Amino acid sequence: MAEQALTVGVDLGGTKILTALVDGAGRVVAFHRLETPVDDGFEGVAATVVDSVRDVVDDASADPRALGIGVAGQVSRGGVVRFAPNLEWHDAPLGALLRERLGLPAVVLNDVRAATWGEWRHGAGRGVADLVVVFLGTGVGGGVVSGGNLLEGCDNAAGELGHTMLVSGGRPCRCPGDGCLEAYVGGWAIGERAREAIRADGSAGARLVELAGSAEEVTAAHVTDAWREGDVLAARIHEATVAYLAAGLTGLANAYNPCRIVLGGGVIESVPELVDAVRGPVLERALGPVAEGLEIVRAERAGEAGVIGAASYARRALDGTMT
Amino acid sequence: MAEQALTVGVDLGGTKILTALVDGAGRVVAFHRLETPVDDGFEGVAATVVDSVRDVVDDASADPRALGIGVAGQVSRGGVVRFAPNLEWHDAPLGALLRERLGLPAVVLNDVRAATWGEWRHGAGRGVADLVVVFLGTGVGGGVVSGGNLLEGCDNAAGELGHTMLVSGGRPCRCPGDGCLEAYVGGWAIGERAREAIRADGSAGARLVELAGSAEEVTAAHVTDAWREGDVLAARIHEATVAYLAAGLTGLANAYNPCRIVLGGGVIESVPELVDAVRGPVLERALGPVAEGLEIVRAERAGEAGVIGAASYARRALDGTMT
């Protein structure tokens, strides 16, 4: 398909629907943003997606060839959203509905895998065949490219990097397990660790409590603010985050032997210093051939990676290289 | 290549050289075993491999089409053994030497990846496109098949499952890191944990000390023996091994979303009960779509997996499906 031909990318989350027209070079040529009408259920949200795609296409007088949509949930290879907690969907046939209503080839994938694809093809992961992408937001998600293939796994759920092990028998996670990477370095977990530290030593937490209004309201954002001011407790929490993230990335490096690790998401956007802070410990502790030449860099496409990746993935499908 | 055509598989370790003629169905039709003359260096060991291959071929009056050799070390894609600690080799051009001396296409790969391939094609991993194989011996190694591809990574070092994270900041490993899965469930680590437990509580360790001769000589094998007798301390160590292994496998399941996990190696062969013991905890704690349908089974080809896998991998190379 020509570089100039456009595809549509949609990033569907529990709060917003991002829709973009993207060219073959990963450039966003038109963009819409809507609230997600979660209360309207599957039919209502899907109708909003359809309207959003039509609007962005009409506004640009474009003739896109395909649609890719990333959804915050578990997606089957056939385009059924099996479970999307934030949307309250179970077994929703999104792919079939979009194909029918829009008359376009439509591929559905997990939103984090879409963003991984976006960073790989058009962001900080360009040019390597072996890539690990970790997004640290409230939760921790990721994706893996190995030998030029986006890992999908047995049930299209490979690359749940936030739920790889960090501390056996450790902190409870929001998933059925405990000790997961997310339970230490996800935004919710950083906040939780801070609140525990304040309960253990109230006087040390004075500045955090002041920023948040109360000890119970301290979040990762307050830790970042206090750390930037030089607060001692916040610095301790930050240092622990660095150590946890470095340990987790060391394990992932040994697991996948990527050429490059890309770090993105809200936690990295507010504390980009984490990228430089973890690099040394990871390169020191990973196995020799794994550490050799390993790059650890910051994501480039920030909030756009999802729509760009979904659009680019749809292009791949059209190009007939779908597996 | 016809099913009947034979290939040679070699499993080259620091103590023994196993050489086999293998048919397309993974059947071993001839087999040799030699000591590895480590002190003779690269040339001497390679000459022994060449002799061993010639002997096994001549004895069977066979006409093999290709050779695969698994080596306990880091192997480049071009067939150079970059580092093999037990053989004391650095940058040894094994593939080129074997091709020249034997006049056969020869592929060199890491021995654990070869055994993974053997279990996948001709053992307990048959029939699935997404597979994790973990070998628990003195050390812990493994391999991963995802979407029908054996993961290789950026520098041919993917799948170092023994060095994925288990306890951030935990027990020192024999690799440059700490807290690795191997540092808890490798044979050497089980022995170390037992010796520490005895130092902490000498009277509880009486039976282990009796079996080993002294507290310093207690190994994983003594723990197994004492556990089978009902010894309380050995049971505690065994239960901890189950918990550590289950946590590690949960993380690996979330990382790769395999259809099946195959467990093999000396620790599993002496305590096959581990396979059943970890199944429940892993299925309970892995993410929903990851746990659904996940099988956890014991390896089938035991000590043969390496030679079978190397021979089978060579067959794939001949078939022209090498990536």
Side-chain angles (χ1 to χ4, degrees):
Chain A
M1 194 162 70
E3 278 265 310
Q4 290 74 18
L6 300 172
T7 53
V8 180
V10 180
D11 187 352
L12 171 58
T15 57
K16 60 187 192 298
I17 301 169
L18 307 180
T19 306
L21 270 170
V22 180
D23 73 10
R27 285 179 295 247
V28 173
V29 301
F31 187 80
H32 273 212
R33 179 189 171 121
L34 292 171
E35 306 277 296
T36 307
V38 173
D39 295 342
D40 297 351
F42 169 60
E43 278 290 337
V45 171
T48 306
V49 169
V50 167
D51 290 344
S52 174
V53 171
R54 285 185 178 142
D55 286 350
V56 82
V57 167
D58 290 348
D59 288 359
S61 304
D63 179 24
R65 306 300 174 82
L67 165 77
I69 180 166
V71 182
Q74 301 158 16
V75 178
S76 77
R77 287 197 173 84
V80 174
V81 179
R82 297 183 58 202
F83 179 46
N86 299 334
L87 294 164
E88 299 166 23
W89 289 4
H90 282 88
D91 295 322
L94 182 63
L97 184 147
L98 293 176
R99 280 188 285 269
E100 189 193 311
R101 302 264 180 98
L102 290 164
L104 274 178
V107 294
V108 188
L109 70 168
N110 169 272
D111 61 340
V112 182
R113 241 69 77 208
T116 297
W117 189 273
E119 286 291 340
W120 181 36
R121 287 299 168 91
H122 301 293
R126 270 191 306 270
V128 300
D130 294 272
L131 178 72
V132 167
V133 182
V134 184
F135 294 102
L136 296 106
T138 301
V140 176
V144 179
V145 175
S146 188
N149 298 302
L150 183 71
L151 296 195
E152 296 181 341
C154 192
D155 199 25
N156 212 20
E160 284 289 355
L161 305 183
H163 303 284
T164 54
M165 192 54 54
L166 188 72
V167 180
S168 172
R171 302 180 66 86
C173 190
R174 291 180 171 181
C175 83
D178 49 31
C180 301
L181 179 60
E182 174 172 311
Y184 290 81
V185 302
W188 66 264
I190 295 172
E192 202 173 273
R193 289 197 284 114
R195 294 189 296 274
E196 283 175 17
I198 294 166
R199 281 197 292 276
D201 183 355
S203 63
R207 182 58 186 146
L208 281 168
V209 172
E210 192 178 6
L211 286 169
S214 78
E216 289 67 41
E217 291 170 279
V218 169
T219 66
H222 300 120
V223 175
T224 300
D225 291 344
W227 170 65
R228 294 209 179 284
E229 293 174 4
D231 180 68
V232 171
L233 182 61
R236 214 170 72 206
I237 295 160
H238 170 78
E239 288 308 317
T241 301
V242 170
Y244 290 134
L245 182 58
L249 295 179
T250 302
L252 295 179
N254 290 336
Y256 297 108
N257 181 208
C259 308
R260 193 179 297 156
I261 296 175
V262 171
L263 300 176
V267 168
I268 297 294
E269 281 165 44
S270 64
V271 192
E273 293 92 336
L274 282 168
V275 179
D276 288 335
V278 298
R279 189 178 293 114
V282 172
L283 296 184
E284 198 173 294
R285 291 182 208 156
L287 295 168
V290 169
E292 197 182 308
L294 174 63
E295 299 173 305
I296 303 179
V297 302
R298 187 176 167 189
E300 286 177 5
R301 305 306 297 255
E304 284 184 334
V307 284
I308 293 169
S312 170
Y313 194 83
R315 176 176 298 274
R316 165 175 173 263
L318 270 193
D319 287 349
T321 55
M322 283 292 281
T323 49
Chain B
M1 196 162 69
E3 279 265 310
Q4 291 73 19
L6 301 173
T7 52
V8 181
V10 180
D11 188 352
L12 171 59
T15 58
K16 59 187 193 297
I17 300 170
L18 307 180
T19 306
L21 271 169
V22 181
D23 73 10
R27 285 180 295 248
V28 173
V29 301
F31 188 80
H32 272 212
R33 181 190 169 120
L34 293 171
E35 306 278 297
T36 307
V38 173
D39 295 342
D40 296 351
F42 169 59
E43 277 291 337
V45 171
T48 306
V49 169
V50 167
D51 290 345
S52 173
V53 171
R54 284 186 178 141
D55 286 350
V56 83
V57 167
D58 290 349
D59 288 358
S61 303
D63 179 24
R65 305 300 174 83
L67 164 77
I69 179 165
V71 181
Q74 301 158 16
V75 179
S76 77
R77 287 197 173 85
V80 173
V81 179
R82 297 184 58 202
F83 178 46
N86 300 333
L87 294 165
E88 299 166 23
W89 290 3
H90 282 89
D91 296 321
L94 182 64
L97 184 148
L98 294 175
R99 280 188 285 269
E100 189 193 310
R101 301 264 180 98
L102 290 164
L104 276 177
V107 294
V108 188
L109 70 168
N110 169 271
D111 61 340
V112 182
R113 240 70 77 209
T116 297
W117 189 274
E119 286 291 340
W120 181 35
R121 287 300 169 91
H122 301 292
R126 271 190 306 270
V128 300
D130 295 272
L131 179 70
V132 166
V133 183
V134 184
F135 293 102
L136 296 106
T138 302
V140 176
V144 179
V145 176
S146 189
N149 299 301
L150 183 71
L151 296 195
E152 296 181 340
C154 191
D155 199 26
N156 211 22
E160 285 288 356
L161 305 183
H163 303 284
T164 53
M165 192 54 53
L166 188 72
V167 180
S168 172
R171 302 180 66 85
C173 191
R174 291 181 171 181
C175 82
D178 50 30
C180 301
L181 180 60
E182 174 172 311
Y184 289 81
V185 301
W188 66 264
I190 295 172
E192 201 173 274
R193 288 196 285 114
R195 294 190 295 276
E196 283 175 17
I198 294 166
R199 279 197 292 277
D201 184 354
S203 62
R207 183 57 186 147
L208 280 169
V209 172
E210 192 177 6
L211 285 169
S214 78
E216 288 68 39
E217 291 169 280
V218 170
T219 67
H222 299 121
V223 175
T224 300
D225 292 344
W227 170 65
R228 294 208 180 284
E229 293 174 5
D231 179 69
V232 172
L233 182 61
R236 214 169 72 206
I237 295 160
H238 170 78
E239 287 307 317
T241 302
V242 170
Y244 289 134
L245 182 58
L249 295 179
T250 303
L252 295 179
N254 290 337
Y256 297 109
N257 181 209
C259 308
R260 193 178 298 157
I261 296 175
V262 171
L263 301 177
V267 168
I268 297 295
E269 281 164 44
S270 63
V271 193
E273 293 92 336
L274 282 169
V275 179
D276 287 335
V278 298
R279 189 178 294 115
V282 173
L283 296 183
E284 198 172 293
R285 290 183 208 153
L287 295 168
V290 169
E292 197 182 308
L294 174 63
E295 300 173 306
I296 303 180
V297 303
R298 186 177 168 189
E300 287 177 5
R301 304 307 298 254
E304 284 184 336
V307 284
I308 293 168
S312 170
Y313 194 82
R315 176 176 298 273
R316 165 174 173 263
L318 270 193
D319 287 349
T321 55
M322 283 290 281
T323 50

